[in-house]
Amino acid sequence: MNKEEIYGALRQKVEMVAGRSMNTPRDFDYLSTLIFDRVETYLAPITLKRFWGYLGEEYRKKPYRNTLNILAVYAGYTSFEAFENSLLGMEIVSSDYLPTEDLQTASLRKGTRIELKWAPDRCVKIEYEGFDMFRVIEAANSKLAVDDTFQCYHFVNNEPLHLRCLVQSGRKPTGFVCGRTGGIQYRVLTED
């Protein structure tokens, strides 16, 4: 899609949210008021008329990024970039169901060993101590070290792993994320 097609799609989306097409000066006054009420930012009717081409091609100019952002927010997106990404099929999904192939800690027996890997070259082996607690028994290229302990409830391949109550030598308990980008890969090594 070229920029003009994206702008056209944004105009259509804004009109859909506004519940009317922009055909008369009153429509643009109305839209300006709706935008201010929803986004709490003022866009002048003349700016809207230029963006819609209502004044003719000689008055149309490249819209400011701020104008595009305000219109996208009015249409229900976080920014113009988010709107553009949704059109191009690159929308970032902010919520989704977890796959059913996760490993629940409640299903583990004490002594079970698990290998965790994540980018770029992190590898940690952990042992289940019971009550959702794990101890690091091997660590390579990671901020996690041997004998660190943490709490974790489940593991999901290709998803970030959130650790709770991470206890490291000389530090207060804290949270930690493994594989924030790209997620982790887990593998059960032993089940004692």
Side-chain angles (χ1 to χ4, degrees), residues 17-112:
V17 171
R20 70 165 73 172
S21 297
M22 299 298 115
N23 298 316
T24 69
R26 290 173 91 187
D27 293 327
F28 293 102
D29 293 338
Y30 176 71
L31 180 58
S32 178
T33 302
L34 289 177
I35 291 170
F36 184 78
D37 289 346
R38 177 179 262 183
V39 183
E40 298 181 359
T41 304
Y42 180 70
L43 268 185
I46 191 77
T47 301
L48 298 169
K49 288 175 186 175
R50 278 194 203 104
F51 183 64
W52 259 261
Y54 182 78
L55 301 174
E57 287 302 314
E58 64 273 14
Y59 293 102
R60 184 180 276 187
K61 61 180 183 175
K62 183 180 175 191
Y64 290 111
R65 191 69 168 184
N66 188 48
T67 300
L68 296 171
N69 279 328
I70 292 167
L71 290 169
V73 169
Y74 172 75
Y77 295 84
T78 56
S79 66
F80 177 69
E81 182 181 31
F83 173 76
E84 202 171 17
N85 286 343
S86 74
L87 286 179
L88 301 174
M90 301 180 321
E91 186 171 21
I92 296 169
V93 177
S94 60
S95 58
D96 205 354
Y97 295 101
L98 288 174
T100 55
E101 311 85 47
D102 66 335
L103 175 63
Q104 299 285 331
T105 339
S107 70
L108 298 176
R109 285 183 284 176
K110 192 173 178 179
T112 299

Side-chain angles (χ1 to χ4, degrees), residues 13 26 39 56 65 109 115 119 124 162 165 167 179-180 188:
K13 185 71 173 177
R26 290 173 91 187
V39 183
R65 191 69 168 184
R109 285 183 284 176
E115 179 183 71
V124 174
H162 295 269
C165 301
V167 177
R180 184 186 302 268
V188 177

Side-chain angles (χ1 to χ4, degrees), residues 103-105 107-115 125-130 133-135 137 155 187-192:
L103 175 63
Q104 299 285 331
T105 339
S107 70
L108 298 176
R109 285 183 284 176
K110 192 173 178 179
T112 299
R113 293 184 174 191
I114 300 169
E115 179 183 71
K125 292 181 182 172
I126 58 176
E127 185 174 272
Y128 185 54
E129 295 189 326
M133 293 297 297
F134 292 86
R135 183 175 55 84
I137 56 174
F155 303 85
R187 181 170 64 106
V188 177
L189 301 174
T190 62
E191 287 201 55
D192 293 340

